[in-house]
Every structure is written in structure tokens, then in C-alpha cells.
Amino acid sequence: MTQQLNLFDNIDETDNTLQPAGNEREQILSLRRELAEQNYKYYVLSAPTMSDQEFDQKMHLLEQLEQKHPELFDPASPTQRVGSDLQKKSGFQQMEHRHPMLSLANTYSEQDISQWYNRVAKELRQAGVEQAPEVVCEIKYDGLSISLWYENGVLQHALTRGDGTRGDDVIDNIRTIKSIPWQVDYHRNPALSNFEIRGEVLLPWQSFERLNKEREEQEEPLFANPRNAASGTLKLLDPKVVAQRGLEAYLYYFITDTAVADTHYDSLLLARDLGFNISPAMRVCHSINEIMEFISYWDTERRTLPVATDGIVLKVNNLQQQQLLGYTAKTPRWAIAYKFQAERQQTRLTHISYQVGRTGIITPVANLEPVQLSGTIVKRATLHNEDFVRQLGIQDGDIVWVEKGGEIIPKITGKVNEHSSEQSLPYKFITTCPECGTPLVRDPEQAAWRCPNEDQCPPQQKGKIQHFVERKAMNIDGLGDETIDLFFSRHLITNIADIYDLRADDILALEGFQQRSAQIIIDGIEQSKQVPWSRVLFALGIRYVGETTAKKLAKQFPSIDSLASADEEQLRAVDDVGGQIALSIMRYFANPANKTIIERLKAAGVQLKADDDIQPVSDKLRGKNIVISGTFALHSRDEYKQMIEQNGGHNASSVSKNTSFILAGDNMGPQKLEKARQLGIEIIDEQQFLQLIS
Ligand code: IVH
């Protein structure tokens, strides 16, 4: 956000087409800037830093000033735009590209690069250019292309490539990318008031991994790579969710209405001055040698970059020369992409086996004849799910390609002998669990098959124990996977409650354990009784209840008993808890086996209720989602928040259909008021509230 703030400070305040109107003009511009920023924080980030009241006052002042100065009318002013329409969209508006969005010709060898460079030099010579052409080398970012349109310095549209001539306007989502300015300061160069800038939207590795981890916890299908994840994210209709994912953008092509630079390189420097994120990895090269140096440097160094890359882009630097060279139907002649070789090898798929995960998901695994790849020996690769195997069209005995791309885990990317598929039989997924024989089920909306026998299927039983002792859950030292395997096979632990019945003597009776190692386990178990309720809830391993959801649930339901007795509506009142999670929680507590386990955990002294500093006073507000708005006379906002929690209620930040009531002081925020009216939500004042909890 800091970057965004700086950029807002850059809004043009000296537009020379307008008559200066003294102080009031400045006031208008600064209010517009401030309110636009607040709108963004409110609607997109859900993290306003201004009270609704202050927002409203400033908006009102701006309206008055604008009425007084019609000559300063601006359709982009916050008075002219309803911030809330960000989310009401049902789809995206399609728009024609001003210039077709072309792709690049790909090459894979030094030879191809030389050929391209020599051809370019030759064509330019024929056109009278004697000097060897300059070529800018850039990183080829592996995301999806975006075209941003700025009018009078304001971001107006953000089009995806679409079909090259028409794209989707995904501007609300693009606005969540902090490094893309909403508005630029062009006053030093008015030729920069209207322009188009193109670049790549990416999901950095770190965010990609975090997202997939969350999806795994929620049992949602994983994204295969950051590009797919970025593309899926950009197509989401709720910019709030997009904002949480943390997209990034690198810009690489600046198209102004009037010429502003002689070279591509200089044009990017200008774009950088305007506040755009231009990759620092750019070099003007004067020979094939220099180009090859750049390529070989980044071929290894790219692994240190925070985002996915798949090659190098070469562009003729001089813009006039670019024009001379022109375009083919699909690609510019003045640019070319060199694609990095993914490391890949051929090997035989000996057989497909099936793994049963902690939650019963069945994953097909390719067992391979061992092969050397990027310095490691690869013997196995995940095949993800049934659909993935079908798409590859592979089966036992096929020769396949194994690749190690940006992702660390090797993957099978195809079959070497394309023809053999015609003779082979269609792929059939197994129908019963390879571990317990139970018939598998497949949720219609998911690609995964599951074994439903969660209480008796051994890997699921073990998986629940492994998850329970994990660092982020109960953090029980000494109980590693191998130890759990051993204890499980000796029937010492078959479920999580058994852990608390373990005695040092039981452990010492097993081979390989000494007094010390047994004591570490016993101490770890003892310490786990201090783990707070929210983490215990996560540790239980209820389907779809990941770490974050567990925290939110534990806040709303201060004990396992209150959670176990909650109905669907009460569960869904918790942030992020939808129907699927609510049903899963209810199903968990309806299972008699789980009830027994919980009783045993309770008896062992595991924290199954909150032990906060805030001691509950009553549960008069149990299950209530309350929004506070405005200023109060009798207590501070924070005091009211605390009272809500002490009485079992939940503080919600925004008004939704799940809001139970609004506690309103003076000058309640206009947006909240409007929303409350629309949804028919009750509004109560301080006195009524105090009465309610007295
Ligand atoms: S220039 C007319 N520069 O690669 C030239 N493209 O395979 C427009 N890409 O569609 C493209 N990094 O989405 C250019 N530094 C870079 C790039 C880049 C990634 C993408 C872009 C393009 C695709 C072509």
C-alpha cells in the first residue's frame, strides 16, 4: 500500500488545460485523491483507515466544491463513481483492443537467435540502416498479458488478451495490484497523458505456494503452476478475493499516442518514471555475443527470481527500425522469444499406483524407471487425478517425458510414442480403496476420488494422527511419521485420543526406545495440553477446516460444546464459512466415534475451550454478528467491541446478510446505512445495546 500512497501523491495538480481556481482547485484535487484512496481501501482491501463519518464529510465537501467549480468536472472523481459497484458485476465487459495483442515467435537455440538477428540486420541494411541493430534483452515472464489504458493519466481499462482483438476488461481486479498506479503524474510530459501499457500479470511463487496449500487444506483442486493460478485469479468476480491472492505485474511495452522516445529502452525508462514496475533485468545488446551472455546468465539466475519465467524476449531497440521491420499476421518481425529448455528426460512408466491421503483422497502416482534430472534421481511423479491421466493418455509400460520446470516436483508432460495410444485401452481409475477395499466416491464437482471410510481406513487413521501432532497443530515433539507408523502397527495409537493414554513403559517396551527418547514423547504430549483451543480445533482435522478457518471459528465459538451445537446458520455467520464447511463440521460432530474421541480429549485435559484474557461475561450475544458504526457517547468503540466478545458475540467489519444487527452511534457511515436498509438489518443505539447485555 505504501507504493500506492506515493503514487496517489503524484496525481497531476497542474493540468495546464484548466484555469487555476486558486486554493479551492487544489482542495478539490486533494480530496479526490484522498477519497479515491479510501474507496480502494474500503471496497477492495476491506481495510479502511478513515471513519465512515470522516469519509462522508469529505465527500460532501467535495460535492459542494465541485458544484461551485463546474469547470473542474472530472468523470473520474469519487463523486461521480460509486465505489460499491466493484462487486456487483456479473461478468466482464468485452472491449476491442486498440492495437491487436500479438504473440511472439519462439526460438529454442543459439542458432535460431543468430538467424533472426542476421535477418533483422539484413532487412535494415536494405532499408538504408548501416549500423548493427541494437537489441533489448528482457526476461520473458510466464503469466498472462494485460493491456492497461490510461486517459488523462487515469487508469480506465485493463484488458486481457482475449482473442487478440477483443479482451475482457478486468480493471477492478487489476486495481488490486499494488504496483499498478491508478493514476499517473504526467505534468512534466503532457504527451504521457494518454497511453497504453502492456505487461504480464503474475502470481509470485510464494503466493502461489501459499494459495495451493490453502486449497489443499480446503480440498480444492490445486493450480498446476503460477500462470494458471494468476489466470484463475484475474477471472474472479470478487476483487476482494483477488486482493488477498497478491498478484504482481511487470510492464514491458509502452504505446503512447504521440512519440515520446526514440527507443524501446527509453520508452520503458519513461514508463518507470511514471511509476510502473519495469523489470530491472533489461540490457541493450549490440551483438549476438552480448545477447548470448544475457541468455546464459538468466538461464540459471532466473531461479532466484520471485516469479516464474520461461525465456528471454529480444526486441529491436530503435522504434523507427521496428516500424521498418513491421509484422507478420501473428507476430512482430522486430521481436522474438527465446524459450529456456525445461530439463526433461524420457523414461518408462512401469505402473500407476494409488496413494490414499489423510482425507481419503486417492492420488494416482507414476512409478518410473529411475532417471537423472537436474541432479536428482526421479522414480516417481504425481499424476494428480483421473482427469490428468486421461489427458496425458498414458498407461503402464508407456515411454513418457519427465520434466522439471520452475516447479520443484517433477512432472510427466507427455507420452513419447503418440501412436501407441490408439491401440491401448481407455484408462480406468480404480473403484475400491487400495488400503481398505471400500468403494470409492467422487464428488461431482471435484476431480478427486475419495475413500469414504474415514474412521477405519489405515492411512486416513494415521493421517489424522500425523496432522494432529504437526507443528502448526499440537506440536508434539518426538512423534514423527515413523514413530506413528510403529505405534499404529502395534495398536498403541489408533486415534488421536489414544495419544493421551500413552505411558513411558508402553514406549520402552518397543525396540529402539531408550528412557530419554520415551521421555521426550511423554513431555511433548504433556505440553500439548497447553495448546490453545483454536489450534486444537485445527488439529482435529475436520474436513475443510484449515488453520485460518479454525481461528475464525474458535473466536466465534469459545468452546467445543458451543461449536458442536451450532446449526448451519450460526456456522455460516462466521467469515469464510460457507455451506460446504458448515456441513462438514456438523457431520464431524454427528459421528459417534468423534464424540467419544472428544470426550477422551477433554478428560485428558486438552484445551477444548478458549482461555482468553477476555473472560466471557455472558452468552447473550452468542451466534450474533454485530457491526459497529459511528461515534459513541457512553463508551469507546473498542470498549463496545470488547463487550460484544465478552458476551459471546462476534465483531464483523462489514454489513452483510449475516449481520445480526448494527450498533450505531452518531453519524453512522452512509455506505453501511444504505446496505443495512437494503438488507433490512436492525440498527440499535448505545442504550439499547447496553440494555441488551445488562
Ligand atoms: S513483448 C508485440 N516482452 O510472452 C510484443 N512479451 O509468448 C508484445 N511476455 O504475449 C510482447 N514477457 O504475454 C513481451 N518482456 C516481455 C514479455 C512478454 C512475457 C509474454 C507476453 C506475450 C507472450 C508471447
Side-chain angles (χ1 to χ4, degrees), residues 102-104 106 138-146 161 198-200 252-253 310 313 315 327 332 334-335 337 339:
L102 301 177
S103 127
L104 294 172
N106 288 330
E138 296 168 16
I139 303 278
K140 186 166 178 338
Y141 291 102
D142 194 13
L144 46 145
S145 36
I146 193 82
R161 182 212 293 274
R198 292 184 180 176
E200 206 78 353
Y252 47 64
Y253 192 37
D310 62 342
V313 180
K315 297 173 186 168
Y327 296 83
W334 48 264
K339 299 273 279 231

Side-chain angles (χ1 to χ4, degrees), residues 273-329:
D273 275 353
L274 285 180
F276 291 99
N277 188 22
I278 307 291
S279 168
M282 271 202 303
R283 177 173 171 193
V284 182
C285 294
H286 303 85
S287 66
I288 295 179
N289 267 353
E290 282 180 19
I291 295 172
M292 294 324 297
E293 258 173 38
F294 187 90
I295 290 180
S296 67
Y297 177 79
W298 283 108
D299 198 358
T300 47
E301 226 30 51
R302 70 194 175 108
R303 290 172 228 277
T304 62
L305 295 176
V307 292
T309 57
D310 62 342
I312 298 291
V313 180
L314 283 68
K315 297 173 186 168
V316 169
N317 194 18
N318 185 297
L319 298 178
Q320 253 176 2
Q321 293 176 9
Q322 285 190 3
Q323 266 189 351
L324 282 171
L325 291 161
Y327 296 83
T328 72

